[in-house]
């Protein structure tokens, strides 16, 4: 009974984090003007919290990675950074609704990847027809209702195909790994920090002129909130991926984004 309650709680907390983080990240990315610095803050916050979470009774201390696990997590981290950074770069020119509509088409592709590479069954005819209808509908909206810029097309294309690969690859690694959920989330964030700092240097975000030192108190609160949401998504994401397929996890994320659309309509006019 307690396990069932905890599982439901995980899904509800993940739903809350996922449905709000895109909006919060959009706001902070606009104010800060430095996506890589934002992501470095989020990953550093999550890594430090997870590293010392055992002091508060959350399992044992973090164990070192084996050589094979290092290789797997370097790939995970590379695509993790690429996905989040490219989505934030895309959000600087595209609206939130466009990103969500693109994401809605991903379960169709992932269901085929699940079948051919992860040993899952194909979806039923009705499920496949539903995913196909959703993909066609949202694709039509994306390319007819959105004002596209070439920079947005490049960044969102990179984000989309990286997201597809990462979803399947992480599911494979989670199934094979000996690490706990906390350890997986820790290494994802810890190993991401050097990648993000390199990106920040290359893009000039660490040089004088960025706005992180002059953020208003309310914006600092949003920055802290984005870090907390990122921690929740990272930890719960690994926990839930252990329980369901890559396709199901993608559908769960899409359901969360429906609430994101409603929030987006209420809080501002960036649609």
């Amino acid at each position: 009974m307690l396990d069932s309650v905890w599982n439901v709680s995980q899904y509800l907390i993940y739903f809350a984090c996922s449905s709000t983080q895109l909006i919060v990240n959009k706001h902070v990315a606009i104010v800060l003007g430095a996506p890589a610095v934002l992501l470095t803050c989020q990953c550093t916050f999550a890594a430090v919290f997870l590293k010392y979470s055992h002091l508060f009774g959350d399992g044992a201390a973090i164990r070192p990675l084996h050589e094979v696990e290092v290789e797997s997590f370097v790939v995970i981290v590379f695509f993790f950074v690429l996905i989040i950074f490219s989505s934030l770069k895309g959000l600087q020119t595209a609206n939130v609704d466009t990103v969500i509509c693109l994401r809605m088409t991903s379960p169709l592709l992932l269901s085929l990847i699940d079948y051919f590479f992860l040993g899952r069954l194909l979806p039923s005819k009705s499920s496949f027809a539903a995913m196909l209808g959703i993909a066609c509908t949202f694709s039509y909206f994306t390319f007819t209702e959105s004002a596209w810029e070439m920079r947005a097309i490049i960044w969102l294309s990179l984000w989309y195909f990286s997201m597809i690969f990462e979803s399947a690859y992480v599911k494979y690694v989670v199934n094979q790994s000996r690490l706990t959920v906390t350890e997986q989330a820790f290494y994802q964030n810890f190993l991401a920090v050097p990648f993000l700092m390199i990106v920040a240097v290359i893009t000039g975000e660490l040089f004088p002129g960025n706005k992180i030192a002059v953020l208003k108190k309310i914006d600092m609160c949003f920055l802290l909130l984005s870090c907390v949401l990122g921690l929740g998504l990272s930890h719960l994401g690994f926990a839930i991926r252990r329980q369901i397929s890559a396709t199901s996890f993608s559908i769960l994320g899409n359901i969360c984004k429906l609430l994101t659309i409603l929030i987006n309509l209420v809080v501002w006019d960036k649609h």
Side-chain angles (χ1 to χ4, degrees):
M1 178 66 179
L2 290 177
D3 288 341
S4 298
V5 172
W6 172 237
N7 287 337
V8 172
S9 299
Q10 285 182 321
Y11 282 90
L12 291 176
I13 297 171
Y14 182 86
F15 184 85
C17 292
S18 181
S19 60
T20 54
Q21 192 192 40
L22 193 61
I23 301 294
V24 175
N25 277 356
K26 172 78 173 178
H27 172 78
V28 180
I30 291 173
V31 173
L32 187 61
V37 172
L38 168 60
L39 294 176
T40 302
C41 292
Q42 292 176 348
C43 290
T44 301
F45 177 89
V48 171
F49 183 92
L50 294 167
K51 173 67 175 177
Y52 296 103
S53 61
H54 68 282
L55 299 178
F56 305 97
D58 184 20
I62 302 295
R63 295 172 293 177
L65 287 175
H66 289 166
E67 183 177 347
V68 175
E69 291 170 330
V70 171
E71 296 174 357
S72 297
F73 270 84
V74 166
V75 175
I76 289 176
V77 167
F78 174 79
F79 280 95
F80 169 71
V81 173
L82 186 60
I83 289 167
I84 302 182
F85 181 73
S86 58
S87 68
L88 284 176
K89 293 295 288 185
L91 282 170
Q92 288 183 316
T93 52
N95 58 53
V96 173
D97 295 346
T98 298
V99 175
I100 293 173
C101 287
L102 278 175
R103 183 188 171 94
M104 291 292 180
T105 66
S106 62
L108 182 63
L109 291 176
L110 281 170
S111 67
L112 299 177
I113 294 174
D114 266 339
Y115 174 73
F116 286 109
F117 299 103
L118 296 176
R120 309 286 297 196
L121 295 175
L122 281 172
S124 65
K125 292 181 180 179
S126 58
S127 296
F128 187 83
M131 288 190 291
L132 180 61
I134 291 171
C136 292
T137 301
F138 281 101
S139 295
Y140 176 80
F141 172 84
T142 299
F143 292 103
T144 58
E145 299 296 327
S146 302
W148 285 94
E149 295 182 16
M150 182 55 65
R151 185 170 63 172
I153 292 174
I154 293 173
W155 282 116
L156 292 181
S157 296
L158 183 62
W159 162 76
Y160 183 81
F161 291 107
S162 298
M163 178 187 63
I164 296 293
F165 175 83
E166 188 263 358
S167 296
Y169 186 75
V170 170
K171 176 60 181 177
Y172 169 78
V173 171
V174 164
N175 287 346
Q176 304 295 322
S177 179
R178 68 180 179 89
L179 298 177
T180 65
V181 168
T182 298
E183 289 170 334
Q184 291 171 342
F186 167 76
Y187 281 113
Q188 181 190 52
N189 287 280
F190 176 74
L191 295 174
V193 172
F195 282 91
L196 289 167
M197 292 185 70
I198 292 172
V199 173
V201 171
I202 293 174
T203 57
E205 295 181 16
L206 291 182
F207 299 122
N210 71 62
K211 305 175 183 177
I212 193 167
V214 293
L215 288 178
K216 299 177 181 178
K217 289 183 179 180
I218 184 64
D219 295 324
M220 289 297 294
C221 291
F222 273 105
L223 176 59
L224 178 59
L225 176 60
S226 74
C227 291
V228 174
L229 293 174
L231 169 64
L233 281 177
S234 180
H235 190 276
L236 292 173
F238 277 105
I240 294 173
R241 286 180 203 238
R242 287 191 170 192
Q243 305 171 28
I244 58 179
S245 68
T247 303
S248 298
F249 186 76
S250 177
I251 293 173
L252 173 65
N254 289 346
I255 294 172
C256 295
K257 294 303 179 283
L258 294 177
L259 180 57
T260 303
I261 292 176
L262 295 178
I263 298 173
N264 189 49
L265 289 171
V266 171
V267 299
W268 54 18
D269 59 354
K270 296 176 176 63
H271 311 309

